[in-house]
Amino acid sequence: MKTIAAILVMLALSSGLTRAQVAVIAHPSVEEPSISRSTVADIYTLTTTMWSDRAAVVVVDIRSDLPTKKRFYSEIGKTPADLRKVWMRTVLSGDAKAPEMVESEDEVIQKVAATRGAIGYVSASKVTGSVKVLARFE
Amino acid sequence: MKHFVLFLGLLLVALSQPLAAQSPLSETSIYGYFQGVYLDSRPTMFVKNNTFAVQQLDLFFNTNLGSGFSSFISLELSNSYSSERQWGNFNLEEAWVRYSYSPLFNVKFGQLVPQFGNLNEIKNRTPLLPYIQRPMVFESSYNSILDFSAYYPALANLQIYGSVNLGDIKGDYALFVGNSDPKFIATNKLDNGATGWDTTQFKMFGGRVGARAFGAKAGVTATFDRFRGFFEQGGYGFIPVDTWVGNIPRRRLGVDLSYTGYGFFFESEAIFVQHDLTPEAKVFLNAISQPVTIPIGPGATMTMESPFGNSLDKSFMYANLGYDITERIFAYIGWSNTKDKYDKVFKDMVITTVGAGFRPVESVVLKAQYAKLDVGMVPFQGQYTHNVYYLAASVSF
């Protein structure tokens, strides 16, 4: 019985880890106090390319298949293949620039903190004071 | 004149200062793609052949100019371009500046590919296309038997476009204007003082309205321009002299429907080209579409069917259905059809095709395709079909 309880606790913990909050972060210069899930989706499908102050949006994404990436894609209702097709079409039509790809969540924070107009996503626990949080997906 | 030159010089000096100062702030992305192919062509008429080629190489310069302005330049080299060997073509495909006020309102000005149907904007973007041979009127290898510019506007010069969120549905619109059909653009300096100038007194106007939701995209599109009714002497003797029948109002009407989801991808489009013939054009087309009887020997004659019809109308349809078998492997089938009431030889052509692709890394797509063109009965030649086998590597960089 103790073993079963221990397993259940571990499962709950691991589930908690994979379902950790995802924070959508931006460069501190971005004026928006917060953005909706559909706006995040519009930004990552390169439909929205400007902030309200007319600064260009710089989309930052993670190259490798981290759990945070899977969670984020699921929250905006897209698969990697969906986004790849949309990005290719938009970029090759000249309507937007390709997202900046980085390798890890730490790099996302560094890139977003250093790039005016940048937006990215990381686990909520990784957020630092160098970036602004625009949305949290529970 | 001196004042004008002086003014121009001062203007250039004045303009160059802020431009030079701004250039370090402008971030230009340079990227592109190319597609190398091997094809084995087996027509029932003419000579079989096979060849390697670099079908296409495109270079893009995409610059964010700030405050909602951006620019885009697309240079295209096709068919293993070499000026030294006189191979292929080098084209300025696009060069435009865009002002984006919001997703709802964007303006492009310069030379651009307008939003007409589904495929026009991306017909040359080989990394986006699952196929190697494109649907018929978009496939450059058929330009000797099809008048592409009749079916869609390849270029425009000003476009206003945007999209709006309507709940779960996104509405799209585009309005564009451009020069007339490229057939009427000067290629000889004697025509109008400069090459590339529109020699007509009319322009092409068009637009598209569409909607996107849940992976589906649909739209209706139209253009209005004029077909310059000049018919050159020739055509098996059916056109005895150069004939002018006036500028003929022409409209292209199109519908497009595509869907991506559950691993499937589907795209389809239909284009109908209609003309309001002038009285002179009706008389002329009726005349050249009649059979003629010609002497072929002492006391012997032969009646020849005209290769021309009495209408300029035509239509085009295509549909492709594919499936992403894995993240990296896909397969598809396709069909396209042209109908032409003017050209009785190539009046009803069908292409059926099947193909597959593999994406070993993100920026490389390896493709294989088989396509069969069925032309039907060709005068003096019989049934004409054309089988083509393709292999290709499409690389974006």
Side-chain angles (χ1 to χ4, degrees):
Chain A
M1 188 63 193
K2 279 184 183 173
T3 312
I4 293 171
I7 290 169
L8 284 174
V9 169
M10 285 176 71
L11 278 174
L13 281 174
S14 66
S15 160
L17 285 173
T18 55
R19 299 295 295 171
Q21 271 192 347
V22 174
V24 177
I25 57 172
H27 186 269
S29 66
V30 170
E31 288 182 358
E32 277 79 349
S34 64
I35 55 177
S36 68
R37 191 182 307 259
S38 67
T39 303
V40 177
D42 282 350
I43 287 172
Y44 270 82
T45 51
L46 307 182
T47 306
T48 296
T49 57
M50 279 189 308
W51 297 110
S52 56
D53 66 352
R54 316 193 54 68
V57 176
V58 178
V59 176
V60 178
D61 197 15
I62 303 169
R63 188 171 280 115
S64 49
D65 283 336
L66 299 179
T68 309
K69 177 176 175 173
K70 288 178 180 168
R71 174 81 199 283
F72 174 75
Y73 276 36
S74 146
E75 290 290 344
I76 61 170
K78 301 291 174 192
T79 66
D82 290 342
L83 281 187
R84 189 186 63 229
K85 285 177 184 174
V86 171
W87 289 349
M88 284 287 273
R89 177 165 183 142
T90 310
V91 170
L92 293 184
S93 301
D95 284 329
K97 291 194 175 186
E100 306 250 352
M101 303 304 284
V102 297
E103 298 296 339
S104 66
E105 294 184 60
D106 290 338
E107 283 186 45
V108 172
I109 291 179
Q110 286 170 21
K111 186 79 187 174
V112 169
T115 310
R116 188 177 172 78
I119 183 171
Y121 58 86
V122 292
S123 306
S125 59
K126 296 263 186 186
V127 173
T128 66
S130 62
V131 293
K132 178 178 185 177
V133 176
L134 294 181
R136 284 177 194 272
F137 299 144
E138 300 294 334
Chain B
M1 185 64 189
K2 276 182 186 171
H3 287 102
F4 181 67
V5 172
L6 186 62
F7 170 74
L8 268 185
L10 286 170
L11 187 67
L12 282 173
V13 169
L15 282 176
S16 67
Q17 299 309 312
L19 286 176
Q22 275 182 14
S23 60
L25 301 175
S26 306
E27 299 160 11
T28 299
S29 299
I30 302 173
Y31 54 98
Y33 63 85
F34 68 88
Q35 181 160 284
V37 298
Y38 169 79
L39 70 92
D40 185 345
S41 171
R42 301 178 187 182
T44 52
M45 289 158 41
F46 312 118
V47 180
K48 294 175 183 174
N49 57 51
N50 55 71
T51 187
F52 291 97
V54 176
Q55 186 183 17
Q56 195 121 2
L57 188 158
D58 281 47
L59 275 178
F60 303 127
F61 301 84
N62 190 340
T63 308
N64 180 3
L65 302 165
S67 301
F69 285 92
S70 59
S71 70
F72 183 69
I73 294 169
S74 164
L75 302 175
E76 182 174 288
L77 293 77
S78 59
N79 296 329
S80 310
Y81 175 73
S82 165
S83 60
E84 182 187 356
R85 301 181 184 95
Q86 297 184 313
W87 294 347
N89 298 298
F90 180 37
N91 286 316
L92 172 62
E93 279 292 296
E94 292 183 78
W96 45 256
V97 60
R98 178 179 62 177
Y99 174 68
S100 295
Y101 179 75
S102 70
L104 182 62
F105 186 79
N106 303 273
V107 185
K108 282 182 185 176
F109 177 73
Q111 179 167 297
L112 55 107
V113 181
Q115 289 185 21
F116 180 88
N118 175 57
L119 202 52
N120 188 38
E121 271 188 297
I122 57 162
K123 59 184 176 292
N124 293 338
R125 308 297 201 243
T126 58
L128 297 178
L129 308 177
Y131 29 78
I132 305 162
Q133 185 189 104
R134 291 156 282 200
M136 211 178 302
V137 301
F138 297 105
E139 175 50 48
S140 56
S141 53
Y142 293 126
N143 65 5
S144 59
I145 57 174
L146 286 168
D147 177 10
F148 294 163
S149 63
Y151 290 92
Y152 54 86
L155 297 173
N157 301 92
L158 172 67
Q159 178 170 270
I160 298 169
Y161 66 102
S163 63
V164 61
N165 282 328
L166 307 163
D168 288 335
I169 299 173
K170 271 198 169 55
D172 299 318
Y173 79 94
L175 297 167
F176 51 84
V177 59
N179 281 332
S180 60
D181 193 317
K183 288 196 294 291
F184 314 142
I185 304 299
T187 54
N188 183 324
K189 282 185 181 176
L190 295 175
D191 281 347
N192 204 6
T195 57
W197 283 27
D198 191 346
T199 59
T200 70
Q201 299 301 310
F202 46 85
K203 292 284 167 278
M204 179 272 300
F205 297 90
R208 178 179 182 275
V209 288
R212 287 174 283 157
F214 312 113
K217 188 182 81 156
V220 292
T221 190
T223 68
F224 301 90
D225 66 352
R226 288 171 192 270
F227 175 85
R228 195 166 66 169
F230 179 75
F231 293 82
E232 279 188 48
Q233 180 180 4
Y236 311 98
F238 280 80
I239 304 175
V241 293
D242 288 351
T243 308
W244 167 250
V245 294
N247 292 320
I248 300 168
R250 173 173 71 180
R251 58 189 170 274
R252 306 180 183 100
L253 303 171
V255 291
D256 61 271
L257 175 67
S258 49
Y259 173 77
T260 304
Y262 301 102
F264 287 94
F265 54 92
F266 170 77
E267 55 175 14
S268 63
E269 190 163 345
I271 300 168
F272 303 94
V273 187
Q274 299 170 333
H275 301 77
D276 295 328
L277 295 180
T278 59
E280 297 89 341
K282 282 181 185 169
V283 170
F284 172 74
L285 290 172
N286 274 330
I288 65 165
S289 60
Q290 300 303 316
V292 294
T293 302
I294 54 172
I296 55 170
T301 59
M302 184 181 80
T303 300
M304 257 179 79
E305 283 294 322
S306 171
F308 303 115
N310 62 0
S311 168
L312 298 172
D313 292 353
K314 50 196 80 199
S315 66
F316 168 69
M317 294 180 198
Y318 81 87
N320 283 296
L321 174 65
Y323 184 67
D324 289 316
I325 298 162
T326 69
E327 278 269 315
R328 298 192 179 279
I329 299 172
F330 61 84
Y332 62 89
I333 53 172
W335 170 89
S336 61
N337 169 240
T338 56
K339 284 189 167 61
D340 191 332
K341 291 183 177 173
Y342 177 68
D343 188 338
K344 283 188 189 167
V345 177
F346 299 106
K347 61 177 183 289
D348 189 354
M349 296 191 288
V350 173
I351 288 181
T352 44
T353 189
V354 59
F358 171 56
R359 192 182 295 275
V361 292
E362 200 57 37
S363 53
V364 177
V365 192
L366 306 176
K367 306 176 187 177
Q369 184 181 7
Y370 161 71
K372 180 187 178 188
L373 167 67
D374 189 349
V375 179
M377 292 297 289
V378 174
F380 310 116
Q381 302 287 346
Q383 191 75 21
Y384 175 34
T385 58
H386 190 155
N387 296 289
V388 193
Y389 302 84
Y390 293 94
L391 294 171
S394 194
V395 178
S396 43
F397 54 87

